[in-house]
Amino acid sequence: MTNPNECTQCVQLDAALGNVIDERDHQAELLDEMTTAIGAVLHRDFGEHSSANDPWRNALHALKGLEA
C-alpha cells in the first residue's frame, strides 16, 4: 500500500470530504441563524440541540402551526 499522502485519489477524496464538511457546517450555521430569527419573531426559544431536542424542527413546526 502506498502512503495516503502520495495517492492522488486519496488527496482528492480528502479534499472532497473537507468540502462536504465545510458545506455541512455552513448549512448548520444558516439553520441556527434562521431558527433564532424565527424565535425572535414568534417570541419563542427553541432551545439547544440535544438528543431530545431539535430546534430546527421545532422552528419548522412552529411555522407550520401558523399556516393552519
Side-chain angles (χ1 to χ4, degrees):
M1 178 171 231
T2 62
N3 181 341
N5 293 328
E6 295 174 7
C7 170
T8 302
Q9 185 179 15
C10 295
V11 171
Q12 291 171 342
L13 289 172
D14 190 53
L17 178 59
N19 289 338
V20 169
I21 291 169
D22 290 346
E23 181 63 24
R24 180 209 55 200
D25 292 347
H26 176 69
Q27 294 302 322
E29 289 172 8
L30 287 175
L31 285 166
D32 285 342
E33 186 177 346
M34 180 195 67
T35 298
T36 300
I38 292 169
V41 169
L42 299 179
H43 305 288
R44 293 196 43 196
D45 180 3
F46 297 110
E48 297 293 322
H49 285 277
S50 71
S51 60
N53 187 50
D54 183 347
W56 303 339
R57 184 169 305 281
N58 296 344
L60 179 61
H61 286 173
L63 288 175
K64 286 183 174 182
L66 291 175
E67 296 173 356

